[in-house]
Amino acid sequence: MLTVWAHPDDDIIFANPTISDAIGAGRCVRTVFVTAGDAGKGMGYVQARELGILRAYNAMRGKDGEWDVSEITLDTGMKVRRLTPKDDPRVSALFLRLPDGNITGAGFDATGHATLSKLYDGAAGSLSPVDGGPAVTRDQLVASVRELASAFAPESTLTHIPRGSAFAPGDHPDHSVVGALVRDTLTSDAAVGPGIRYFVGYPSENLPRNLEGAVLDRKVDTYRIYTQQDQVIRCADRTACLKTRKFGEWLQRSYPKAEGELQMG
């Protein structure tokens, strides 16, 4: 399974229990985070969120443990930070660390208002990762997603709802562009395209709750473990997590959509 998200935590908020079920079933899960989710707060916040994700994945694996870190360079020239549990090579998290575009789509002062949307739309010729790594072009990013999909050969691919879908309005701009990136790049791949599922993001709060009981309990606990490293959305227990504005509603829902269900405009 390949999963591709805009920010660290999008996976555990919108795509669980699908990801946790896959890990529990012993499947390979490779998760890619395109932006650093930095919110203009710098590398300290980025590293905290990444640590939270590793701990959340440990919880889904049912094992504590250290992760091996490797800095890899794709054939495209793009730098990727890859982490894999020392005792579990079937799971990995890959961080591209491109700038967070802000919920407004305007970016942040700290990163010069650079955004993934500007890169994808051609308004910016390149985008520099927040960790000081080499800038990447749109073509490099597209080719990198294609290269990762080729390397992992996933039976299923999970990502955000893309731009143009009836489920996109009101979502984070970074979510929509990552969904579009995956759809535009991989749909035509006969081995990958049919297995792509797009998860409703922020607008899911307007859909009926569809998670409850033990499934919801596990999802919320995974999220809670992540939040202990995220100063913005930290919640102490199940009740507090479910009472968190917006997040509590998103956690109680998960809506994957196949290509034919996207209602593209």
Side-chain angles (χ1 to χ4, degrees):
M1 174 183 285
L2 171 64
T3 86
V4 186
W5 308 101
H7 316 104
D9 78 357
D10 291 332
D11 50 339
I12 57 176
I13 293 173
F14 303 115
N16 263 348
T18 304
I19 294 173
S20 59
D21 285 349
I23 292 173
R27 295 178 62 190
C28 288
V29 176
R30 314 299 185 190
T31 295
V32 179
F33 299 102
V34 179
T35 86
D38 54 282
K41 298 178 182 294
M43 282 303 298
Y45 185 55
V46 170
Q47 291 165 342
R49 293 191 73 172
E50 291 177 359
L51 176 60
I53 284 297
L54 301 187
R55 290 184 174 174
Y57 273 71
N58 276 345
M60 289 190 284
R61 296 189 309 119
K63 299 178 181 179
D64 287 329
E66 296 182 356
W67 293 55
D68 287 322
V69 183
S70 57
E71 304 290 344
I72 62 175
T73 302
L74 302 180
D75 290 344
T76 64
M78 190 166 192
K79 303 286 187 180
V80 179
R81 181 177 174 84
R82 180 181 63 193
L83 291 100
T84 304
K86 289 181 179 294
D87 63 347
D88 199 349
R90 68 199 173 90
V91 175
S92 56
L94 298 92
F95 300 94
L96 307 188
R97 289 180 166 178
L98 297 177
D100 186 333
N102 201 343
I103 194 170
T104 64
F108 294 92
D109 290 344
T111 48
H113 300 279
T115 71
L116 194 60
S117 295
K118 291 177 183 176
L119 179 72
Y120 205 66
D121 292 338
S126 63
L127 197 60
S128 297
V130 299
D131 60 6
V136 298
T137 65
R138 182 188 192 278
D139 287 348
Q140 271 184 297
L141 181 59
V142 168
S144 296
V145 171
R146 188 174 292 118
E147 181 178 336
L148 290 170
S150 177
F152 296 142
E155 293 180 1
S156 58
T157 300
L158 317 182
T159 191
H160 296 285
I161 291 288
R163 292 171 167 182
S165 167
F167 300 100
D171 207 354
H172 195 298
D174 287 348
H175 295 176
S176 300
V177 73
V178 168
L181 168 65
V182 171
R183 182 174 183 265
D184 294 347
T185 304
L186 300 180
T187 300
S188 61
D189 185 328
V192 178
I196 301 175
R197 293 297 179 268
Y198 306 90
F199 283 76
V200 181
Y202 291 173
S204 66
E205 67 175 318
N206 301 315
L207 300 173
R209 294 174 178 172
N210 63 353
L211 300 178
E212 59 184 5
V215 170
L216 178 60
D217 289 345
R218 287 193 297 271
K219 178 177 181 177
V220 173
D221 197 49
T222 298
Y223 172 75
R224 178 194 61 77
I225 288 167
Y226 161 78
T227 70
Q228 302 316 296
Q229 308 304 316
D230 190 331
Q231 61 187 358
V232 175
I233 56 169
R234 187 170 296 148
C235 52
D237 53 33
R238 181 185 189 280
T239 299
C241 291
L242 288 174
K243 285 185 176 179
T244 304
R245 183 176 177 271
K246 300 284 189 179
F247 290 86
E249 293 301 322
W250 299 330
L251 287 168
Q252 295 176 77
R253 297 159 170 83
S254 188
Y255 279 93
K257 300 292 181 180
E259 174 69 26
E261 299 173 302
L262 289 175
Q263 300 179 36
M264 299 298 290

